[in-house]
Amino acid sequence: LPLVYNCSGYESEEVIEILDGVIDIYMPDVKFSSEIISEKFCQAKDYFENLKKVLKIMHKQVGDLIIENGIAQRGLLIRHLVMPNGLAGTEELMEFIAKEISKDTYINIMEQYRPCGEAYKFPEINRKITFEEYEKAKEIARSFGLYRFD
């Protein structure tokens, strides 16, 4: 069975290097592209800069996702949660993936954002996403030549 590493996308390069040859499928979250937004909601101003380095290492290790008989065997499977009001920075994220990782990258574009916890304190994220916001995220991915997503 493939060994899957499900992670936040905010890993250290050193940890990912140690996992070389151990992990079959990397499944990182790709959350934000804006320093301001990632600082505000994750206290990680360097999130996107760190993420870009880590994704490149992951992809170098396992390549694009390989699926055989409907089962993922090896590769990079990116999860992207669409946020209200475009706060995830989908355009910048998809552009980076298409230009610096691979247009064959498999991306799970997720629509299940639900405000919980302290989201009520932030009006910009205190609602579910709309159908239009979700469709726009898929349209953005397609505009950069990405096609492997659900």
Side-chain angles (χ1 to χ4, degrees):
L1 292 175
L3 187 59
V4 178
Y5 189 72
N6 182 355
C7 57
S8 71
Y10 193 63
E11 277 62 48
S12 73
E13 295 173 66
E14 294 77 21
V15 166
I16 302 306
E17 292 287 358
I18 289 169
L19 295 173
D20 190 9
V22 175
I23 300 302
D24 299 302
I25 299 170
Y26 283 107
M27 198 164 67
D29 290 336
V30 174
K31 293 183 171 100
F32 304 108
S33 62
S34 163
E35 287 183 0
I36 295 167
I37 300 301
S38 60
E39 173 72 19
K40 182 174 185 174
F41 298 119
C42 296
Q43 294 73 52
K45 183 178 181 179
D46 64 338
Y47 176 82
F48 190 41
E49 289 307 310
N50 185 79
L51 173 75
K52 291 190 287 188
K53 294 174 193 171
V54 169
L55 287 179
K56 286 179 179 181
I57 296 168
M58 290 175 175
H59 187 261
K60 181 181 175 192
Q61 290 178 10
V62 298
D64 293 320
L65 189 66
I66 297 168
I67 301 172
E68 295 175 358
N69 299 319
I71 299 173
Q73 299 297 314
R74 181 175 178 79
L76 178 63
L77 188 164
I78 293 175
R79 300 178 322 152
H80 175 59
L81 182 64
V82 179
M83 297 288 292
N85 299 304
L87 291 178
T90 300
E91 186 163 351
E92 294 81 8
L93 293 166
M94 297 302 145
E95 180 177 21
F96 168 76
I97 293 166
K99 291 182 177 178
E100 298 193 42
I101 302 296
S102 168
K103 287 187 180 178
D104 295 318
T105 300
Y106 192 98
I107 305 169
N108 183 1
I109 299 175
M110 303 182 298
E111 62 184 319
Q112 67 258 37
Y113 174 77
R114 304 288 184 272
C116 58
E118 296 187 2
Y120 70 92
K121 294 180 180 179
F122 305 97
E124 64 269 42
I125 63 168
N126 193 24
R127 66 168 175 81
K128 295 178 183 178
I129 67 164
T130 65
F131 175 78
E132 290 77 16
E133 287 171 319
Y134 177 65
E135 290 299 311
K136 177 70 175 171
K138 292 191 299 185
E139 179 183 312
I140 289 168
R142 284 187 199 100
S143 76
F144 288 107
L146 298 165
Y147 64 96
R148 294 182 73 194
F149 52 89
D150 58 32

